[in-house]
Amino acid sequence: MEPSGIPTSLANPQPCWSPATRLGFRIAFLYFFCFIILGANGTLLDAFPVVGGWIQDKLNWPINHLSEFAGQHLFHLTGIAAHWHPSESGDTAMNWIHDGLALTFALGGGILWTVIAYLWKSPRTDYRTLHAWLRFFLRLTCGMFMIGYGLVKVFPMQMPPPSVAILTEPAGNMAPMTFLWNLIGLNPVYEIICGSAEALGGILLLYRRTALAGALFSTFVVTNVVLYNFCYDVPVKLFATNLLLG
């Protein structure tokens, strides 16, 4: 309470968000909602064994079929590229179309949300509570993936030591990703250090008091991962970029 008896929250009211800020938040909220719940490469529901996968399949059914429809009729894809199929790549045509649909939904939904709020003369001037919930679920999602990707490096499984076939292959014949993977796999200590950094960032994200430190640390780590993915053609560019934005 203030000395005058007026509550602090009333004496120092939070500033109202500008119309542009509210529109930007609505678009960002819808896009990251899709990332958390409908991501093609994994979602927060992955944290729940068995039941999480079942729920995920049901939620993804509409957007997956819409992605196939868009791929076949808008982008004229044919054959296996025109359908969802098991693949270790997160950058297939279906993945990019899926993310494009999420972005389109966010843009269209954010504009429609704004129009409805304007027509109904909504008195709401900010979305601080909704923003807090979005940050919470983004922290859980990003933290879960950071820990998961970190652990497969802490116990060197993602980049195993080069096989005899790789060691006898001329370096000029290797794909950039193969060269990178085996270069890291040559030294498990380096891989373990990278994995420990990823896992540490994820753990810090899970706790409110360390969330800011976790976000800053994870941003540094994931930026390096994104650069690896783009510069060495690692097919996880889309997911890693979304993880960095989150």
Side-chain angles (χ1 to χ4, degrees), residues 101-154:
L101 289 174
L103 182 58
T104 301
F105 165 73
L107 290 170
I111 293 171
L112 180 61
W113 186 349
T114 301
V115 171
I116 292 174
Y118 175 78
L119 293 177
W120 282 4
K121 294 179 172 52
S122 173
R124 183 179 294 277
T125 58
D126 62 65
Y127 294 94
R128 299 181 195 279
T129 301
L130 198 58
H131 185 211
W133 279 108
L134 176 63
R135 292 200 315 270
F136 173 70
F137 284 111
L138 269 177
R139 285 198 294 109
L140 293 183
T141 303
C142 294
M144 178 188 73
F145 284 119
M146 291 292 291
I147 293 171
Y149 276 105
L151 289 179
V152 296
K153 295 183 182 72
V154 171

Side-chain angles (χ1 to χ4, degrees), residues 25-46 56 59-60 62-64 66-67 95 97-110 113 134 137-138 141 145 238-239 242-243 246:
F25 171 78
R26 291 161 182 155
I27 293 172
F29 174 83
L30 293 174
Y31 182 78
F32 285 116
F33 175 82
C34 291
F35 172 67
I36 294 169
I37 301 297
L38 301 173
N41 291 103
T43 70
L44 184 59
L45 293 171
D46 291 341
Q56 191 63 66
L59 292 176
N60 275 2
I63 193 168
N64 284 352
L66 187 57
S67 298
N95 287 114
I97 292 171
H98 179 285
D99 208 64
L101 289 174
L103 182 58
T104 301
F105 165 73
L107 290 170
W113 186 349
L134 176 63
F137 284 111
L138 269 177
T141 303
F145 284 119
L238 187 59
F239 177 75
N242 279 323
L243 195 62

Side-chain angles (χ1 to χ4, degrees), residues 59-76:
L59 292 176
N60 275 2
W61 188 90
I63 193 168
N64 284 352
H65 281 72
L66 187 57
S67 298
E68 291 186 345
F69 179 87
Q72 294 165 18
H73 294 86
L74 294 180
F75 299 99
H76 308 292

Side-chain angles (χ1 to χ4, degrees), residues 146 194 197-199 201 215-226 244:
M146 291 292 291
C194 291
E198 291 181 7
L216 294 174
F217 190 71
S218 296
T219 297
F220 173 77
V221 173
V222 178
T223 297
N224 186 52
V225 173
V226 170
L244 178 60

